Amino acid sequence: MKQLIVHLAIFGVLLFISCSNSEHYEIAKKFKSVVDNENCQVDYFYPKFIEKESNLGLTELNEILEQYVDYERYARRCDENISEKSIIKGDYQITLKREDRISIEFITSIIHYGGNRFDTVFHSIVLNPKNFDKRKISYIYQDPGLLIPNFDRGNLYKYVEQYNKKKNQSNVNLLAYESGSKYVITWGLSENEFLLYVGGEGEWNGNHKIRIPIRETKKDTNR
């Protein structure tokens, strides 16, 4: 009997911890078709945050996520291409999900020649769920330095340069990865990696993804 009581007590503690740490939201995968006719097909999946029992005021955030990639722009450009039907597909993946940070990668596939060639465009957003209830844009991380202590943009340069040489991608602007650069870069996080999306510097998107160990993005404080 004593052993049973101990087990029940342990179970109660674990249940309390589980309940107290449970998230006050869930993420649903939603689908939207922008256009589908003989000239153009544009559709995509996007994440939607759903409140459980709290009043977080997530309407603004969900509007941002639904429109984060401007698929309406692709639809407006359908008539520009008369040689083949334009097919654009969008999806996303959550590359990191912690109590204080969520990183979402948006992937747009532009399909050519009946599926024989694909162009890919990446967008990314990093959020702080702890700040959802503040109902301010402060829940969006724009500076990697807010999450990575001693972050140095200049440490990204060698990785981008190596990738640029390997892939011969002349559209990558290396100036954006020098220390002190003010160019907008597109980035995200996984558990142990800094995800860098290059090729659209200054445009909030990228055409190629580079995985960099997070430890390699920090300043060498031992110098």
Side-chain angles (χ1 to χ4, degrees), residues 38 53-54 60 72 78 99 123 145 164 190-191 205-206 217:
E38 61 181 8
E53 298 179 356
S54 59
E60 178 183 331
E72 296 288 347
C78 280
E99 184 181 355
H123 294 76
N164 206 31
S190 68
E191 192 62 44
N205 63 60
T217 66

Side-chain angles (χ1 to χ4, degrees), residues 143-155:
D143 181 3
L146 296 174
L147 288 172
I148 303 175
N150 299 316
F151 177 81
D152 186 352
R153 184 187 290 219
N155 284 9

Side-chain angles (χ1 to χ4, degrees), residues 105 120-124 156-165 167-177 184-188 194-212:
E105 175 185 279
T120 304
V121 181
F122 295 99
H123 294 76
S124 182
L156 308 177
Y157 188 96
K158 65 179 180 181
Y159 290 94
V160 181
E161 184 180 40
Q162 291 170 2
Y163 185 89
N164 206 31
K165 289 179 179 179
K167 299 294 184 178
N168 194 26
Q169 300 292 340
S170 58
N171 61 328
V172 176
N173 183 356
L174 289 172
L175 294 176
Y177 305 102
V184 171
I185 61 174
T186 302
W187 61 279
F194 183 82
L195 306 177
L196 185 61
Y197 306 95
V198 301
E201 291 74 22
E203 300 295 333
W204 301 98
N205 63 60
N207 302 110
H208 316 278
K209 178 165 67 173
I210 303 176
R211 300 176 181 271
I212 303 172

Side-chain angles (χ1 to χ4, degrees), residues 95-189:
T95 59
L96 179 66
K97 190 170 184 283
R98 291 186 186 175
E99 184 181 355
D100 63 340
R101 67 196 68 176
I102 296 177
S103 183
I104 306 174
E105 175 185 279
F106 297 86
I107 311 105
T108 302
S109 297
I110 304 170
I111 304 168
H112 303 277
Y113 305 112
N116 292 316
R117 197 190 88 197
F118 293 81
D119 289 330
T120 304
V121 181
F122 295 99
H123 294 76
S124 182
I125 188 170
V126 183
L127 307 168
N128 183 353
K130 287 188 173 182
N131 286 349
F132 284 169
D133 58 352
K134 295 183 179 179
R135 305 183 189 187
K136 297 179 180 178
I137 300 299
S138 60
Y139 52 66
I140 298 178
Y141 288 113
Q142 297 188 21
D143 181 3
L146 296 174
L147 288 172
I148 303 175
N150 299 316
F151 177 81
D152 186 352
R153 184 187 290 219
N155 284 9
L156 308 177
Y157 188 96
K158 65 179 180 181
Y159 290 94
V160 181
E161 184 180 40
Q162 291 170 2
Y163 185 89
N164 206 31
K165 289 179 179 179
K166 182 179 179 181
K167 299 294 184 178
N168 194 26
Q169 300 292 340
S170 58
N171 61 328
V172 176
N173 183 356
L174 289 172
L175 294 176
Y177 305 102
E178 295 181 347
S179 293
S181 173
K182 299 301 182 183
Y183 272 93
V184 171
I185 61 174
T186 302
W187 61 279
L189 297 170

